[in-house]
Amino acid sequence: MAATYNHKSVEKKWRGRWEAHPINVNDGRKPKYYCLDMFPYPSGSGLHVGHWRGYVISDVWSRYKMLHGYYVIHPMGWDAFGLPAENYAIKNGVHPKISTAQNVANIKRQIKDISAVYDWDMEVNTTDPEFYKWTQWIFVKMFKAGLAYEKEMPINWCPSCKTGLANEEVVNGCCERCHSEVTKKNLKQWMLKITAYADRLLEDLDQLDWPEKVKKMQSDWIGRSYGAEVDFKVEGTDKAITVYTTRPDTLYGATFMVLAPEHVMAKELATDETREDVENYIYRASTRSNIDRMQDKEKTGVFTGSYAINPLNGAKVPIWLSDYVLADYGTGAIMCVPAHDDRDFEFAKKFSLPIIQVIAKDGREIENMTEAYTEASGTMINSGEWNGMESSVLKREAPAMIEKMGYGRKKVNYKLRDWVFSRQRYWGEPIPIVHCPDCGCVPVPEDQLPVLLPEVEKYEPTGTGESPLAAIDSWVNTTCPCCGKPAKRETNTMPQWAGSSWYFLRYVDNKNKEELVGKERASQYLPVDMYIGGVEHAVLHLLYSRFYTKFLHDIGVVDFDEPFKKLFNQGMINGKNGVKMSKSMGNVVSPDDLIEDYGCDALRMYELFVGPPEMDAEWDDRGIDGVRRFISRLWNLIQDSAAAPAAETADMIKLRHKMIYDITARLESFSLNTVISGFMEYTNKLIELAKRQGGIDKETMDTVVTLLAPFAPHAAEELWETLGHEESVFENNQWPQADEEAMKDDALEIAIQVNGKMKGKVTLAVDADRDTALAAAREALGSRYPENAIKEIYVPGKIINIVAK
RNA sequence: GCGGAUGUGGCGGAAUGGCAGACGCAGCAGACUCAAAAUCUGCCGGUGGUGACAUCGUGCGGGUUCAAGUCCCGCCAUCCGCACCA
């Protein structure tokens, strides 16, 4: 009897071997496959079993690709700048540089326990000056391309994090990071013109093999709409108000106009009678928080006292103010067609404004309208020369017609805003700009990068809208790179997302001092073939990365313009009752103890076994016993047979090929939980068959061990060695091939139903004809065969169904 | 409000329209043991029946089909995303 499975000694042995003899080497002949994990930020609490899941999935996939003969690029690094690291440092009174280094060391130890095939020579850290030199370099390039600009405007401000935020970082009016309510603050900000890439970011989604959900989230976030701007003259003045509409076909139905309270003309439209009400309304709107404004669905508004003239028919329409119109979308003013827009309808009802229908639904006007008819489908009525046209056609053609008539112009709008890029925090990349009184904003020359983040005593955020860096006079005061006169450094830092927007490019050439990434390496190893991580970055990191990659493509750094060909979002692992794992809930399960007790291989397999990889799962320690027992059973089977393999039998060959087929198909469809159950199922069958025929043959054992290798690499290597192989199972590079001929059964057990209900079974030859099958069914059911059968269904290989009255 | 996902035993979950509950956990019984652990064997949705079996059963209500967890229509619940974007 061979030694029982001892995960500690086996795993220690093979970890040592792999370190001495790496198994994933680039021999220059293999094709490459780039399998990337979303890199972690080194938090102080370390990894829990939920983080592990994604890393296990990517490692299984990487090893699977290795076994197909690929050189797999599988790197790991640290997203170490940004708020989490800094907040952790502040809370614990340690400099972020020190705490970050400690956390990296701890998490690296934990990640090494996964025994993934990470290539640590490729490691990057976003806080390394050799790395952020290039983060700054990209900013300088964007500045030179006119894509980075400074602007003073009211931006989203998190009073708790004491910094400005990008739109993408505000979730339901709250800070994405700390969930405090976000306020507005007027600040001079660096902005990145991501809107210049809006069309490409939208249209190129089509070519990506990404989850539809993520593509839709990005496409909704970009929010492109087609319509027209229409100019309405203000009665009695020579001024005009421009509105944006996606429904210019309904222009004849405009019975009033609404401006956002923040609209520049809001105040001047007030008359003597309305001035007090108008100013009150504007004031009240300015003091209401975003959250109030979102929760309060009841429409409010005030009449300005002024009228606008519909250019098409000269109709006089009252101009109102209401906070349901957003100041920063379109022109901040809308024309209102209550008959064909829900919000306008509600407003018109509340303030008793006229409603004119201009689209006939089903050929006639709607009587006693109780809700707006919002579809662009029907014949135009009450619309002058447009009468009789089809609304859907007019909707498409009206922008051009209006432009031709001189009343406005075609217009495409986006929800996407430019990216607020300044952070008033210490722990980030300094923005490499010098402010010169004479020359203005001057980028730091590329050969002087990086602009090092200075050491400071006080790195807590100030809350004043200035970064802590502003207090370091010796650092702030510098000379202008352009004219040499005294000048001041930009003191804001970049957001957390800056480094992560391009880190995946650096892995493949992380020691290059001359270039962000060398041309040759870039074209050889990039882009990423498979990207694995959580769905929470759908419109943050994943949108920013695409933007950066497109920009780097445009300036000739890389020759592709989409970074991640395929994306997989793994589900979260929660604690009991679906509660998110967190320190404060005290329900965090650390992988460390589980590895100690059950072994890395068992934990790897259990991480997959808990459920479909794309779905959330509740962690329950107890289940890991089952996986551990499975490994032991398979271990014993092979250890016992390895010394004296049995001869091949027809049954064993058939079982082997079925196993190859099933495991491979499930792997290819990423159904990793059923791969594990498949292993258990087939192992049980192998054990049973081996028992019956006195052993298992060599080729079947080799096959099982190879299939197992991506999942339980240590156990697989040990068994592979036991089977007499000298090289690593991964150096064998042979994923088993299923022979479909060899899998075929000549007889099948099929079910017999009566009226669709299972009544019995019968074993039939695969090619049994109808008469044979029905005769067999009749015999099998005996007296239970219905006498009044009216129809007999026989689907070869599937079913017999007797239909009876 | 709009969009998407999910809903199956005590639990996690499995089922190209064709035997619902694979696989595993937990549980029960047995073997081994002085005993326990480990391991092995068997049972394991509800109801009725000693039993062969019968009957109900995949969130709810309809429908299509010889046959529906699966397809279609209408609901409900939970979760996620968006949320006055004109």
Side-chain angles (χ1 to χ4, degrees):
Chain A
M1 190 85 176
T4 52
Y5 173 51
N6 177 331
H7 65 263
K8 281 188 190 165
S9 59
V10 169
E11 292 181 358
K12 195 173 165 207
K13 170 179 166 183
W14 287 97
R15 275 231 253 165
R17 289 268 186 106
W18 293 328
E19 217 151 288
H21 306 283
I23 46 175
N24 178 38
V25 289
N26 183 11
D27 63 2
R29 291 193 303 272
K30 296 184 204 169
K32 73 92 187 180
Y33 190 90
Y34 190 167
C35 181
L36 179 67
D37 289 285
M38 290 185 185
F39 66 163
Y41 62 84
S43 84
S45 28
L47 299 182
H48 60 63
V49 290
H51 301 108
W52 247 67
R53 191 187 200 188
Y55 302 142
V56 169
I57 292 169
S58 74
D59 190 59
V60 163
W61 196 248
S62 295
R63 288 175 184 269
Y64 177 60
K65 288 291 171 184
M66 279 165 58
L67 282 163
H68 281 85
Y70 286 95
Y71 163 54
V72 176
I73 298 162
H74 192 43
M76 183 47 79
W78 315 102
D79 189 14
F81 267 139
L83 288 176
E86 186 175 339
N87 288 341
Y88 176 83
I90 289 169
K91 199 171 148 202
N92 294 282
V94 202
H95 193 284
K97 197 171 175 177
I98 295 166
S99 63
T100 296
Q102 286 169 349
N103 294 345
V104 165
N106 182 44
I107 295 185
K108 192 168 178 177
R109 173 191 63 77
Q110 287 189 299
I111 287 184
K112 285 197 166 182
D113 279 347
I114 298 168
S115 278
V117 288
Y118 292 123
D119 184 344
W120 293 102
D121 285 341
M122 291 184 171
E123 185 175 353
V124 300
N125 183 323
T126 55
T127 64
D128 179 353
E130 281 302 310
F131 182 93
Y132 72 69
K133 168 183 174 179
W134 297 104
T135 311
Q136 292 175 335
W137 181 86
I138 296 170
F139 183 89
V140 168
K141 288 292 185 192
M142 284 194 177
F143 178 83
K144 289 177 178 171
L147 291 171
Y149 63 97
E150 218 182 3
K151 189 181 177 187
E152 179 161 343
M153 59 182 271
I155 54 143
N156 300 307
W157 175 264
C158 174
S160 164
C161 296
K162 297 177 182 166
T163 184
L165 300 173
N167 279 1
E168 289 80 9
E169 292 171 306
V170 181
V171 179
N172 292 326
C174 295
C175 173
E176 180 245 355
R177 195 57 74 186
C178 71
H179 311 294
S180 311
E181 191 176 325
V182 169
T183 59
K184 290 278 174 191
K185 192 177 176 99
N186 227 38
L187 269 189
K188 202 168 189 187
Q189 294 289 315
W190 282 96
M191 309 281 292
L192 294 188
K193 205 183 257 177
I194 190 171
T195 53
Y197 283 77
D199 284 320
R200 284 165 68 189
L201 288 168
L202 182 65
E203 282 154 20
D204 293 347
L205 285 171
D206 283 347
Q207 69 193 54
L208 299 179
D209 184 4
W210 284 19
E212 285 308 314
K213 177 188 163 95
V214 175
K215 292 210 253 186
K216 184 162 191 317
M217 280 169 75
Q218 290 213 356
S219 131
D220 287 351
W221 188 260
I222 294 164
R224 182 166 72 185
S225 70
Y226 294 95
E229 285 183 352
V230 185
D231 306 320
F232 282 64
K233 286 215 168 66
V234 180
E235 190 198 36
T237 74
D238 54 0
K239 296 198 171 175
I241 295 172
T242 302
V243 302
Y244 173 70
T245 179
T246 55
R247 294 297 303 278
D249 53 311
T250 64
L251 189 46
Y252 277 96
T255 54
F256 59 104
M257 178 185 273
V258 178
L259 271 54
E262 299 86 355
H263 195 279
V264 284
M265 289 180 68
K267 263 187 195 164
E268 66 187 79
L269 291 169
T271 60
D272 291 341
E273 298 89 73
T274 62
R275 182 152 296 118
E276 200 183 331
D277 289 346
V278 167
E279 286 182 0
N280 277 343
Y281 189 81
I282 293 173
Y283 175 76
R284 239 191 24 249
S286 72
T287 57
R288 292 178 74 201
S289 73
N290 279 353
I291 294 204
D292 279 356
R293 222 165 135 158
M294 277 187 305
Q295 276 169 354
D296 190 7
K297 296 279 178 182
E298 180 79 7
K299 298 245 179 313
T300 61
V302 64
F303 176 47
T304 60
S306 296
Y307 293 85
I309 306 298
N310 186 334
L312 224 49
N313 58 3
K316 198 172 125 178
V317 299
I319 305 173
W320 287 65
L321 302 184
S322 175
D323 65 4
Y324 85 87
V325 175
L326 305 176
D328 61 355
Y329 180 79
T331 61
I334 58 169
M335 66 172 207
C336 297
V337 185
H340 304 290
D341 181 279
D342 291 326
R343 296 147 303 182
D344 299 347
F345 185 84
E346 192 190 329
F347 195 86
K349 280 283 175 203
K350 172 143 186 195
F351 295 103
S352 304
L353 294 158
I355 297 171
I356 299 176
Q357 296 182 44
V358 292
I359 304 169
K361 183 190 180 189
D362 305 324
R364 57 179 184 275
E365 269 190 59
I366 298 165
E367 280 174 52
N368 302 321
M369 218 177 197
T370 53
E371 57 176 7
Y373 175 59
T374 57
E375 277 165 63
S377 148
T379 312
M380 301 309 301
I381 51 172
N382 303 325
S383 292
E385 71 275 22
W386 287 349
N387 279 339
M389 284 186 75
E390 174 58 35
S391 163
S392 57
V393 174
L394 182 57
K395 184 183 175 213
R396 205 168 55 235
E397 292 177 359
M401 292 162 75
I402 289 166
E403 186 165 321
K404 216 167 175 183
M405 291 185 275
Y407 300 145
R409 61 214 68 83
K410 282 180 167 178
K411 176 75 181 172
V412 180
N413 254 325
Y414 302 87
K415 290 190 206 174
L416 183 70
R417 297 281 89 120
D418 277 345
W419 179 4
V420 175
F421 202 66
S422 308
R423 296 294 177 273
Q424 292 70 46
R425 298 284 301 222
Y426 170 67
W427 193 237
E429 303 87 346
I431 291 176
I433 291 286
V434 171
H435 297 273
C436 171
D438 293 341
C439 312
C441 291
V442 180
V444 173
E446 290 169 29
D447 59 9
Q448 289 173 30
L449 297 175
V451 175
L452 290 173
L453 180 64
E455 299 279 336
V456 287
E457 293 292 315
K458 275 176 69 85
Y459 40 79
E460 286 84 355
T462 63
T464 60
E466 281 204 315
S467 122
L469 295 180
I472 316 171
D473 291 342
S474 60
W475 184 79
V476 172
N477 291 311
T478 182
T479 52
C480 172
C482 196
C483 67
K485 286 189 198 156
K488 289 188 186 298
R489 285 191 190 281
E490 167 67 44
T491 59
N492 283 319
T493 54
M494 297 188 194
Q496 157 125 62
W497 315 104
S500 61
S501 293
W502 71 278
Y503 76 105
F504 44 90
L505 305 174
R506 185 66 180 174
Y507 279 135
V508 301
D509 202 6
N510 63 343
K511 292 169 190 71
N512 193 331
K513 299 239 177 218
E514 308 304 320
E515 294 168 285
L516 185 154
V517 56
K519 277 255 157 27
E520 201 177 317
R521 289 197 176 213
S523 65
Q524 203 176 339
Y525 299 135
L526 300 172
V528 173
D529 294 289
M530 170 67 95
Y531 198 19
I532 294 176
V535 75
E536 65 273 16
H537 295 300
V539 288
L540 286 157
H541 162 61
L542 289 170
L543 187 65
Y544 297 150
S545 300
R546 295 182 60 224
F547 165 49
Y548 264 54
T549 302
K550 286 179 188 303
F551 172 70
L552 292 171
H553 167 265
D554 291 355
I555 62 168
V557 175
V558 294
D559 58 7
F560 49 88
D561 74 346
E562 281 293 341
F564 316 121
K565 286 195 206 164
K566 190 174 167 74
L567 174 70
F568 182 81
N569 295 126
Q570 88 273 15
M572 271 204 312
I573 288 196
N574 295 315
K576 261 221 160 343
N577 303 319
V579 180
K580 195 174 168 173
M581 278 193 190
S582 72
K583 238 185 181 170
S584 55
M585 287 300 297
N587 61 352
V588 174
V589 180
S590 160
D592 297 3
D593 296 341
L594 294 167
I595 294 169
E596 176 72 15
D597 295 345
Y598 296 93
C600 171
D601 284 341
L603 182 55
R604 285 170 64 105
M605 294 191 95
Y606 185 57
E607 290 272 356
L608 303 175
F609 191 54
V610 288
E614 70 281 4
M615 304 274 275
D616 291 355
E618 277 178 35
W619 188 264
D620 182 354
D621 274 352
R622 281 178 303 186
I624 196 172
D625 281 310
V627 174
R628 166 67 206 221
R629 282 174 199 146
F630 152 73
I631 297 175
S632 291
R633 276 203 310 277
L634 181 59
W635 174 276
N636 292 338
L637 173 71
I638 292 183
Q639 290 287 355
D640 291 350
S641 308
E648 237 178 23
T649 64
D651 284 349
M652 197 59 96
I653 292 170
K654 190 182 286 175
L655 187 57
R656 182 206 302 156
H657 284 283
K658 281 184 173 176
M659 178 171 188
I660 297 168
Y661 183 89
D662 270 354
I663 297 288
T664 307
R666 294 174 189 190
L667 242 168
E668 283 294 331
S669 62
F670 241 72
S671 178
L672 302 177
N673 55 325
T674 63
V675 171
I676 307 301
S677 61
F679 271 124
M680 293 172 171
E681 219 174 321
Y682 279 103
T683 298
N684 292 343
K685 286 180 184 165
L686 283 172
I687 290 171
E688 194 191 318
L689 185 56
K691 216 183 268 174
R692 224 163 49 217
Q693 60 179 34
I696 179 170
D697 65 89
K698 176 77 165 48
E699 188 167 347
T700 300
M701 288 191 280
D702 281 353
T703 300
V704 173
V705 170
T706 306
L707 294 175
L708 183 73
F711 301 89
H714 312 85
E717 288 278 36
E718 183 67 24
L719 292 171
W720 190 248
E721 191 181 68
T722 306
L723 288 166
H725 301 280
E726 282 172 15
E727 60 180 7
S728 158
V729 64
F730 295 100
E731 286 166 319
N732 188 38
N733 282 346
Q734 293 288 321
W735 188 256
Q737 296 295 309
D739 177 350
E740 299 205 23
E741 280 304 309
M743 290 164 39
K744 278 192 181 146
D745 289 300
D746 16 82
L748 282 176
E749 190 178 60
I750 71 172
I752 307 164
Q753 298 178 334
V754 174
N755 288 334
K757 297 217 160 61
M758 220 279 285
K759 295 289 170 185
K761 291 175 191 179
V762 66
T763 301
L764 285 174
V766 172
D767 54 359
D769 62 24
R770 186 182 159 85
D771 291 341
T772 315
L774 293 176
R778 197 173 281 273
E779 190 185 352
L781 290 190
S783 61
R784 291 190 297 143
Y785 194 95
E787 279 169 30
N788 46 358
I790 51 174
K791 198 171 174 185
E792 291 155 321
I793 313 264
Y794 169 53
V795 184
K798 295 257 164 102
I799 204 90
I800 295 168
N801 190 12
I802 318 296
V803 188
K805 270 263 169 63

